[in-house]
Amino acid sequence: MLFHVRMDVNIPADMPANVANEIKAREKEYSQELQRSGKWRHIWRLVGEYANYSIFDVESNAELHDILTALPLFPYMKISVTPLCRHPSSVRDNDA
């Protein structure tokens, strides 16, 4: 199942820099692990925002929920999810 996910991050301004940096390092490690596994297929930064658009390829709604709630930055995120399916006019057979 493919999902389009927008993640907007809002780290509290009063969070100590060392704490924020540690959380961001764990986030990067976890997200790259998911990318290498193929579950997190694409990630794009939104220019001028602390936000991204991502494409996830997972088995179920529950799996996506588990992945997102395990993100170290999850407590500081606003997340919106849109389910996707292959468009009949697509020329790419691997976009299932």
Side-chain angles (χ1 to χ4, degrees):
M1 300 176 74
L2 295 177
F3 294 91
H4 172 269
V5 179
R6 178 177 173 141
M7 294 178 241
D8 293 270
V9 181
N10 186 18
I11 295 175
D14 62 349
M15 180 181 285
N18 63 321
V19 173
N21 290 337
E22 189 273 330
I23 294 169
K24 289 186 241 180
R26 287 190 293 119
E27 179 87 6
K28 182 176 182 177
E29 181 179 339
Y30 179 56
S31 71
Q32 289 180 344
E33 174 186 317
L34 289 164
Q35 289 172 68
R36 284 188 285 275
S37 77
K39 302 248 178 226
W40 196 325
R41 285 178 57 175
H42 300 282
I43 183 170
W44 293 276
R45 173 181 283 167
L46 303 183
V47 176
E49 299 181 47
Y50 195 170
N52 73 74
Y53 284 135
S54 294
I55 302 295
F56 286 84
D57 188 357
V58 294
E59 294 298 318
S60 66
N61 294 336
E63 182 182 17
L64 179 62
H65 177 80
D66 291 345
I67 286 170
L68 295 177
T69 58
L71 290 166
L73 285 170
F74 177 77
Y76 313 105
M77 288 183 173
K78 176 184 173 196
I79 298 175
S80 60
V81 176
T82 305
L84 302 172
C85 65
R86 187 174 184 281
H87 195 284
S89 297
S90 176
V91 296
R92 292 181 174 75
D93 292 332
N94 64 344
D95 282 345

